[in-house]
Amino acid sequence: MYAIDLDKMDFEEAKTYFASYISEVTKKALSYIREDAKEDEEALLLQIQTCNQIIQLLNSKLHDEDFVNLQLDERGEILTSVYKKLNSVRTVRKEKPTRPITSISQSSLFTGSQYEPNMLEELKKEIASSDEIEWIVSFIKWSGLRIILNELRDFTIERGGRLRIITTSYMEATDYKALVELSKLPNTEVRVSLDKQRTRLHAKAYLFKRDSGFSTAYIGSSNLSNPALTSGLEWNLKITERDSFDVLRKFGATFESYWNDEEFKSLLPDEHENWEMVQYSLSKETVAEETEQYYFDIQPYHYQKEILDELEVERVIHGQMKNLVVAATGVGKTVISAFDFKRFLKQKPNAKLLFIAHREEILRQSLVTFRTILKDANFGEMFVGKHEPKSFDQLFMSIQSWNSKKMSENTTFDFYDYIIVDEFHHATAPSYRALLDFYQPTILLGLTATPERMDNDSILSYFNDRIAAEMRLTEAINRKLLSPFHYFCVTDNVDLTSIKWSRKGYDIGELTNIYTANHRRSDLVIQSIKRYVTSLNEVKALGFCVSVDHAKYMSTYFNQKNIPSISLHGKSSPEERVVAQRKLVSGEINFIFVVDLYNEGIDIPEINTVLFLRPTESLTVFLQQLGRGLRLADDKECLTVLDFVGQAHKNYPFEEKFRSLVGKTKHSIHHYIENGFFHLPKGSVIQMEKQAKEYILRNIKEARINKQNLIAKIKHFEADSGRRLTLKNFLQYYHLSLADVYGSQKNRSFERMKVEAGVTKEYKAEYEDLLMKKIHKLFHLDSLDLISFYKKYIEKTDVNTEEEQRMEAMLYYSFFSKPPRDLGFSSIKEGLREILTSQALKDEILQVIEVCFENLRLLEKKSPFDFVSPLRVHAHYTIDQILAAFGYYNEKQKPAFREGVKYFEEEKTDVFFVTLNKSDKDFSPSTLYEDYAINEQLFHWQSQSRTSDTSPTAIRLFNHRKTNNQISIFIREYRNEGPYTSPFIFLGTADYVKHEGSKPVSIIWKLHEPMPAYLVSSANKNVL
């Protein structure tokens, strides 16, 4: 007796499943036919005839003549090669074509065995039979290149084949001579990553493209070196386009993505700057002082661009000219500030700059960074130690010098236009306060990795309590700027359900009583540490405690158990902290037990273990405590985190904590706990003991946001928060999203819940149910022009231009699914006025739009069209809103629309609606590499399956520039975001670059505007 599980078949993946199944059925049927036949020739003929009958059936179903041409010839021969005879010696000399020994249609595994084909000889034959070659290897040795160089010469010189290779300078393993010899080959280009410290490229893969559709690839452990190709026990899997089409397509897409990534420097013969950098990077000698070179064109990474975008929005849209950037050490905050200042110089070319830091070395490095990015070797002067400037205009100055040189007496309060303060968490010290209180610059930019201070003296007050931009934890770990974590949820034997709970969380006194002198729990902590860490002797740990008494008790207990430990707290002297840090790093002690964050007292990159010995209610504090252990250090593989999880109060924010570790994904935290955390930063793990998992799931279920829960919060909001009850304030205070408040059932509104909470009067509105069902279609609004118009329109319903008419229609079709007359309205305006006659509904819409305004994180770009259009590049819209913006949905009609492509003949514009992840599954290799970003400007798009490269549609797309047609691209990551249909972001217009294939056709487009930095990692599924 068996139990079975059934899952609904994914629409997008169905063709792959069916084709695989039919292949198996056909193979079995052909085996039966072969066995039943008396003669070999008869068996072969019967199998061919059966296959042709299947093809004929498909032809009759599809009425597509192409299927007739796919019928098998009854002679039963296999085509092994096709080659040109014209202008070739083959016209006079019969020569057997070179082909690999292993099949080019079936995959095979190489293990270095002497009983299998030699890997080196197979590669030579693959080279000789390819049309194009793409290799990606960690390093290239001259010993490996020279033994295939003749074949590569024949390939590139005699046959004109294209060769592209990606490699690295990691550990200086690549031989410079190998790169030089490769550069001498025609049709050849090599690109090299120069990141020697933290290279993320360890791939060894070789792709051999064939126009015949029989491409092959080798993926495994062999770099381009003599031992790897000839004598090592290397494992390499050969895959073929015939039986691993999706894998080959992913290989090609990933290679193209890396190829166009700025990290890899091109080594064409005339690119002298890149050759110099590569030669320097491959040299094993250490250079005493870095050469300052200011002519290289430095570009920010996409995660740095994202921060720059957010700074622009803070100033241009929100009017915030004092900005705090929070990002991990290593992110390049100085680089970000230099690019930001470069942008400011365009507005004010003679702007005066003051850069403040507390150490001379930081100032020297920062000055070099600014000179490099501004390409000005004379920019700026140091004012620290023995350095004295000739001018105050562009100063890189220590805070000590600023005070000692009495700059407040030697400059006026408005002298500097742009002030940068590095390590801004020091800013509450008197020396910094004097500077900040004196100057009134146009822009103040604070840089820090740790905005929270041990003395609770917040630095956010300098920035109107706003963080302008903050790098996500997941992004920092993926970029190897922070250490990955292994997070273990350990079952605690302490029940916290009866502990007093208030708005601020658990009662500290009661927690102290329950934890202090609890030997049974302390033994559990020690047992768990021994279970999860490699060795107690190697541990360098921070343990976060609930109080001073708790910290002292833990260190005492650990010492009694012969585990060297110490406790630190607010009354510990600076000397005690320095000694504790030295002892932990040297291994004299293994644990420091602390109460608060101690950002300055406890800043030890070597920390490799963190213990959460108390529940941490504040997400900010939790992330700060976790961050103490995420600093990179030599020989530190990852951070081990032990979180002791007991039965918690129903309001304890487990879900919020785990969401911060996972990042933005399509699934709920509940889903990940049940099914495993398969979306985490690279190298990171979350693992839960059985009982701890049950506690967390039970808590998440109880704490789940529901209507009654929200009504209770609304009822007491003003008393609890001290703020006026508005939707914006409510969301900010409780860290909620619009989707959290309005829910998936589409039966809630904020104004109705206020009535049910007894904080506002009852009202009646005819279109209240409609608003509840449709209000979510406004949640994504991020076009400043559209938001500004709607704010005015909802109050007065005035329309003055054709563009505003289109905006009005976009709002109408956000709520109504039929044209006005079909619903009894005389016009679009009348339909909207019917909704807006209710003050409650009007207030609801206005409050949602106000939240959208507050959530703006990117500055839209103007319409790219030469006709009237309210669409703005990099703003989000639903399909209904887009079609209304084009006038396709209007006063008279709303035609049916289901396809992913629409051509507007009058506007001469093709519109593509692209869903990047077409399958609802978490990973779908058969659909993942149809549409994707190659980099921030190149986009790979695949047509519908029946579009041939000679069809009128394809010809129009290929020649759009000649005919003055425009291509506009709208994309979204998934079909749905939670309970709602996902909107599309408008990437703007694009130009044709190249195409390949037919039925379907794959086209690469070049966007006129680079896509937003935050979108690059999700649109480019291979981003480094």
Side-chain angles (χ1 to χ4, degrees):
M1 197 155 198
Y2 299 93
I4 63 168
D5 284 329
L6 297 174
D7 203 358
K8 193 173 181 181
M9 186 173 289
D10 187 89
F11 170 76
E12 289 290 345
E13 288 203 316
K15 62 183 184 292
T16 305
Y17 290 129
F18 292 144
S20 177
Y21 176 72
I22 291 297
S23 174
E24 289 178 23
V25 172
T26 305
K27 188 175 182 180
K28 183 179 286 189
L30 294 176
S31 298
Y32 290 175
I33 291 169
R34 184 192 64 205
E35 291 168 4
D36 291 345
K38 296 176 182 177
E39 302 289 338
D40 288 348
E41 292 296 325
E42 180 191 3
L44 186 60
L45 182 60
L46 286 172
Q47 289 177 72
I48 291 170
Q49 289 173 343
T50 302
C51 289
N52 283 338
Q53 287 169 5
I54 295 171
I55 294 170
Q56 185 58 45
L57 176 63
L58 291 172
N59 180 51
S60 66
K61 289 283 184 185
L62 299 171
H63 308 292
D64 191 326
E65 288 303 311
D66 280 359
F67 282 85
V68 175
N69 300 327
L70 296 175
Q71 295 227 338
L72 297 169
D73 191 298
E74 292 190 355
R75 285 175 294 181
E77 296 171 325
I78 294 176
L79 180 68
T80 58
S81 67
V82 178
Y83 56 85
K84 292 178 182 177
K85 292 176 68 174
L86 194 62
N87 299 327
S88 170
V89 73
R90 290 180 187 276
T91 57
V92 294
R93 194 171 82 193
K94 214 161 187 185
E95 194 175 83
K96 195 171 182 181
T98 302
R99 54 181 288 121
I101 297 172
T102 50
S103 171
I104 59 171
S105 63
Q106 295 177 338
S107 298
S108 51
L109 176 67
F110 290 76
T111 61
S113 167
Q114 60 180 326
Y115 299 107
E116 66 190 18
N118 178 281
M119 176 81 171
L120 173 63
E121 293 305 315
E122 280 296 270
L123 287 185
K124 288 181 176 182
K125 292 181 175 70
E126 297 278 3
I127 293 168
S129 58
S130 296
D131 295 302
E132 191 173 337
I133 295 173
E134 293 172 354
W135 293 348
I136 180 167
V137 287
S138 299
F139 56 82
I140 303 173
K141 304 301 288 185
W142 172 239
S143 66
L145 178 63
R146 67 187 177 189
I147 56 180
I148 56 170
L149 196 54
N150 288 336
E151 285 73 20
L152 291 177
R153 285 195 181 112
D154 288 343
F155 172 74
T156 56
I157 299 172
E158 300 298 326
R159 296 175 45 224
R162 186 188 186 199
L163 171 63
R164 295 194 293 170
I165 301 177
I166 292 173
T167 189
T168 79
S169 62
Y170 185 55
M171 295 179 68
E172 301 94 16
T174 291
D175 289 333
Y176 186 74
K177 179 177 180 178
L179 299 179
V180 172
E181 292 301 319
L182 281 169
S183 73
K184 295 176 182 177
L185 299 176
N187 309 314
T188 298
E189 187 175 353
V190 181
R191 296 196 175 178
V192 184
S193 168
L194 305 182
D195 188 344
K196 294 164 66 173
Q197 274 70 47
R198 54 183 184 89
T199 186
R200 290 158 288 148
L201 179 64
H202 296 282
K204 296 96 178 174
Y206 305 79
L207 175 61
F208 301 93
K209 289 184 173 181
R210 297 181 177 91
D211 296 339
S212 60
F214 285 86
S215 299
T216 54
Y218 293 71
I219 303 171
S221 63
S222 291
N223 272 304
L224 197 51
S225 69
N226 177 50
L229 297 180
T230 60
S231 59
L233 290 178
E234 307 280 355
W235 283 42
N236 295 283
L237 179 66
K238 176 179 178 176
I239 57 174
T240 74
E241 187 174 355
R242 295 286 99 185
D243 66 0
S244 300
F245 175 77
D246 295 328
V247 179
L248 260 291
R249 183 164 62 176
K250 181 175 182 179
F251 189 134
T254 307
F255 183 92
E256 202 66 47
S257 174
Y258 290 2
W259 189 259
N260 288 279
D261 191 288
E262 293 168 354
E263 179 169 325
F264 297 95
K265 305 301 179 187
S266 174
L267 292 185
L268 290 173
D270 60 346
E271 292 177 315
H272 306 297
E273 293 174 12
N274 288 352
W275 278 103
E276 285 180 30
M277 287 193 287
V278 167
Q279 190 169 22
Y280 174 77
S281 186
L282 290 175
S283 62
K284 294 180 171 61
E285 299 83 10
T286 55
V287 180
E289 190 169 338
E290 189 175 332
T291 305
E292 294 181 5
Q293 294 173 309
Y294 306 116
Y295 50 84
F296 293 142
D297 188 18
I298 306 295
Q299 295 296 325
Y301 288 113
H302 72 84
Y303 60 88
Q304 293 170 332
K305 289 179 184 174
E306 188 174 341
I307 291 174
L308 289 166
D309 288 341
E310 291 181 359
L311 285 172
E312 188 176 27
V313 169
E314 281 292 294
R315 294 165 191 157
V316 176
I317 294 179
H318 299 300
Q320 301 289 334
M321 309 308 283
K322 295 181 177 182
N323 315 114
L324 179 65
V325 171
V326 178
T329 301
V331 168
K333 293 187 287 293
T334 308
V335 170
I336 292 167
S337 68
F339 276 109
D340 192 46
F341 180 68
K342 183 178 182 180
R343 185 166 56 189
F344 183 72
L345 281 176
K346 292 178 182 177
Q347 304 168 29
K348 192 167 185 179
N350 297 315
K352 294 181 176 63
L353 169 76
L354 177 63
F355 189 106
I356 293 289
H358 65 290
R359 286 195 294 120
E360 183 174 335
E361 182 58 29
I362 293 175
L363 292 167
R364 183 181 297 109
Q365 292 170 357
S366 300
L367 179 58
V368 170
T369 299
F370 269 73
R371 286 177 173 177
T372 303
I373 288 169
L374 298 176
K375 292 185 179 179
D376 182 354
N378 299 309
F379 180 85
E381 297 178 84
M382 300 258 288
F383 198 176
V384 59
K386 297 177 181 177
H387 299 277
E388 288 205 357
K390 295 177 182 176
S391 166
F392 284 173
D393 288 1
Q394 300 152 355
L395 277 192
F396 289 74
M397 190 175 197
S398 71
I399 188 63
Q400 296 87 350
S401 297
W402 189 88
N403 282 287
S404 65
K405 300 299 182 182
K406 299 182 178 179
M407 289 293 285
S408 59
E409 298 176 11
N410 295 320
T411 54
T412 58
F413 69 91
D414 58 355
F415 182 74
Y416 289 108
D417 304 291
Y418 193 114
I419 294 178
I420 301 167
V421 179
D422 193 25
E423 300 299 329
F424 201 92
H425 54 271
H426 294 294
T428 55
S431 56
Y432 282 84
R433 276 182 174 165
L435 179 146
L436 293 168
D437 291 344
F438 176 70
Y439 287 123
Q440 294 181 22
T442 303
I443 290 177
L444 170 65
L445 182 64
L447 309 173
T448 184
T450 52
E452 299 295 322
R453 289 177 51 84
M454 63 175 182
D455 53 13
N456 296 318
D457 198 352
S458 176
I459 63 173
L460 290 178
S461 58
Y462 288 104
F463 304 100
N464 297 318
D465 294 316
R466 294 170 70 100
I467 294 175
E470 188 166 10
M471 188 177 189
R472 294 183 299 274
L473 176 72
T474 51
E475 178 74 57
I477 294 173
N478 285 335
R479 301 294 307 188
K480 293 197 173 182
L481 304 170
L482 292 177
S483 167
F485 56 80
H486 285 189
Y487 196 109
F488 299 98
C489 294
V490 181
T491 304
D492 201 343
N493 52 24
V494 175
D495 184 351
L496 302 179
T497 52
S498 60
I499 300 292
K500 183 180 178 183
W501 178 276
S502 67
R503 280 193 294 111
K504 294 182 179 179
Y506 288 110
D507 182 272
I508 300 298
E510 290 190 24
L511 280 179
T512 300
N513 291 338
I514 206 169
Y515 286 146
T516 304
N518 187 335
H519 296 346
R520 182 165 165 260
R521 184 188 192 244
S522 303
D523 287 337
L524 168 69
V525 171
I526 293 172
Q527 290 167 14
S528 300
I529 293 168
K530 291 178 177 177
R531 184 186 315 138
Y532 287 110
V533 305
T534 306
S535 165
L536 260 179
N537 293 331
E538 296 174 9
V539 169
K540 293 175 173 57
L542 272 184
F544 290 100
C545 301
V546 69
S547 64
V548 173
D549 288 343
H550 184 208
K552 288 179 176 178
Y553 161 73
M554 291 303 298
S555 64
T556 301
Y557 193 83
F558 269 51
N559 284 316
Q560 289 171 357
K561 297 293 182 179
N562 297 317
I563 303 173
S565 306
I566 198 170
S567 65
L568 290 177
H569 43 82
K571 294 180 181 178
S572 300
S573 67
E575 291 76 18
E576 288 177 297
R577 294 181 195 179
V578 170
V579 169
Q581 178 170 333
R582 178 181 55 75
K583 286 185 175 181
L584 189 72
V585 172
S586 68
E588 290 180 58
I589 60 172
N590 301 111
F591 291 84
I592 298 177
F593 292 96
V594 297
V595 182
D596 293 312
L597 301 178
Y598 296 106
N599 282 328
E600 294 165 58
I602 302 293
D603 187 17
I604 311 171
E606 290 82 1
I607 289 168
N608 57 23
T609 306
V610 164
L611 309 179
F612 287 114
L613 300 172
R614 57 149 298 168
T616 307
E617 298 87 348
S618 164
L619 178 63
T620 302
V621 172
F622 167 74
L623 290 174
Q624 289 295 324
Q625 291 177 341
L626 182 69
R628 296 301 89 214
L630 291 176
R631 293 280 302 278
L632 295 174
D634 292 339
D635 300 323
K636 179 175 171 179
E637 184 182 344
C638 67
L639 171 70
T640 300
V641 182
L642 302 186
D643 189 353
F644 292 84
V645 177
Q647 296 186 67
H649 189 274
K650 65 179 183 179
N651 290 334
Y652 186 73
F654 277 119
E655 186 159 12
E656 194 176 41
K657 285 169 61 175
F658 289 114
R659 173 58 66 193
S660 69
L661 301 179
V662 173
K664 184 182 178 184
T665 58
K666 64 180 286 190
H667 292 300
S668 67
I669 294 301
H670 186 279
H671 177 91
Y672 289 119
I673 296 172
E674 290 277 31
N675 298 283
F677 287 85
F678 47 85
H679 279 305
L680 281 172
K682 293 174 185 176
S684 298
V685 174
I686 296 178
Q687 193 170 304
M688 297 180 176
E689 293 182 0
K690 182 179 177 182
Q691 189 60 56
K693 179 177 177 179
E694 288 182 16
Y695 289 155
I696 293 167
L697 282 173
R698 188 190 311 159
N699 170 274
I700 287 175
K701 189 174 180 181
E702 289 177 356
R704 192 166 288 166
I705 301 161
N706 56 44
K707 192 173 179 180
Q708 293 310 311
N709 183 302
L710 289 168
I711 290 170
K713 282 180 163 63
I714 289 170
K715 185 172 185 177
H716 302 289
F717 176 76
E718 293 192 347
D720 287 349
S721 69
R723 304 184 192 180
R724 189 167 68 89
L725 177 59
T726 66
L727 180 59
K728 183 177 81 171
N729 287 344
F730 187 76
L731 296 179
Q732 287 176 345
Y733 184 74
Y734 286 113
H735 306 289
L736 299 174
S737 67
L738 286 167
D740 291 331
V741 168
Y742 287 87
S744 60
Q745 302 301 311
K746 301 173 185 176
N747 62 353
R748 301 180 198 163
S749 76
F750 191 62
E751 291 300 314
R752 176 53 59 190
M753 287 190 287
K754 282 166 62 178
V755 171
E756 294 179 31
V759 298
T760 195
K761 294 178 182 179
E762 175 64 79
Y763 66 88
K764 289 187 178 180
E766 182 181 352
Y767 290 95
E768 183 177 9
D769 287 345
L770 175 71
L771 181 133
M772 287 181 180
K773 288 183 172 68
K774 302 286 190 174
I775 189 74
H776 67 273
K777 294 195 174 184
L778 304 182
F779 290 176
H780 61 271
L781 290 182
D782 56 0
S783 163
L784 181 61
D785 287 348
L786 202 58
I787 288 172
S788 301
F789 170 72
Y790 287 158
K791 281 183 177 181
K792 293 184 291 184
Y793 179 85
I794 288 165
E795 293 291 355
K796 296 184 178 179
T797 65
D798 286 344
V799 172
N800 300 309
T801 65
E802 185 182 348
E803 183 179 64
E804 290 183 351
Q805 283 181 346
R806 297 273 176 101
M807 289 179 171
E808 183 183 44
M810 291 166 74
L811 186 61
Y812 173 88
Y813 282 109
S814 299
F815 289 107
F816 297 106
S817 55
K818 293 181 180 179
R821 286 181 175 79
D822 290 7
L823 297 173
F825 304 132
S826 62
S827 65
I828 281 175
K829 188 180 296 295
E830 187 192 343
L832 289 171
R833 279 178 173 169
E834 286 296 316
I835 294 177
L836 300 174
T837 51
S838 164
Q839 187 62 45
L841 301 194
K842 182 188 285 189
D843 289 345
E844 189 88 35
I845 296 171
L846 281 171
Q847 288 197 76
V848 167
I849 289 172
E850 183 59 37
V851 170
C852 292
F853 174 77
E854 192 62 29
N855 289 341
L856 285 175
R857 288 293 175 267
L858 188 71
L859 211 57
E860 65 189 354
K861 299 185 184 298
K862 65 181 182 180
S863 169
F865 302 120
D866 53 9
F867 51 85
V868 172
S869 173
L871 297 172
R872 302 293 183 261
V873 177
H874 298 163
H876 286 82
Y877 308 95
T878 64
I879 284 187
D880 288 347
Q881 290 162 354
I882 294 165
L883 296 177
F886 275 101
Y888 190 60
Y889 292 175
N890 52 43
E891 293 276 5
K892 297 179 180 178
Q893 64 173 14
K894 184 181 184 284
F897 179 81
R898 289 192 62 187
E899 297 179 359
V901 179
K902 175 67 182 170
Y903 179 57
F904 293 102
E905 193 166 354
E906 190 174 326
E907 288 83 3
K908 298 184 74 173
T909 299
D910 278 281
V911 179
F912 300 160
F913 295 98
V914 179
T915 302
L916 298 174
N917 297 293
K918 294 167 178 54
S919 170
D920 291 330
K921 294 176 65 177
D922 292 297
F923 180 70
S924 169
S926 63
T927 63
L928 203 57
Y929 295 95
E930 293 174 2
D931 304 307
Y932 58 89
I934 294 170
N935 62 14
E936 61 183 12
Q937 274 198 281
L938 294 177
F939 191 84
H940 179 283
W941 172 83
Q942 191 175 93
S943 74
Q944 293 173 314
S945 297
R946 294 190 181 209
T947 304
S948 75
D949 58 353
T950 57
S951 67
T953 297
I955 298 301
R956 185 180 72 240
L957 296 178
F958 300 160
N959 298 299
H960 74 95
R961 275 181 286 187
K962 294 179 184 175
T963 57
N964 290 320
N965 278 320
Q966 296 186 91
I967 309 298
S968 54
I969 301 176
F970 295 81
I971 72 168
R972 61 183 174 185
E973 192 173 355
Y974 297 101
R975 279 197 178 90
N976 299 304
E977 287 182 9
Y980 309 126
T981 302
S982 299
F984 290 84
I985 182 172
F986 183 26
L987 295 185
T989 49
D991 285 333
Y992 167 88
V993 176
K994 64 179 182 178
H995 75 276
E996 63 180 13
S998 183
K999 293 189 174 181
V1001 180
S1002 292
I1003 302 179
I1004 292 178
W1005 303 100
K1006 185 172 184 179
L1007 299 168
H1008 294 158
E1009 290 284 352
M1011 69 175 59
Y1014 76 86
L1015 189 62
V1016 173
S1017 57
S1018 56
N1020 174 341
K1021 299 153 189 178
N1022 317 294
V1023 73
L1024 286 172

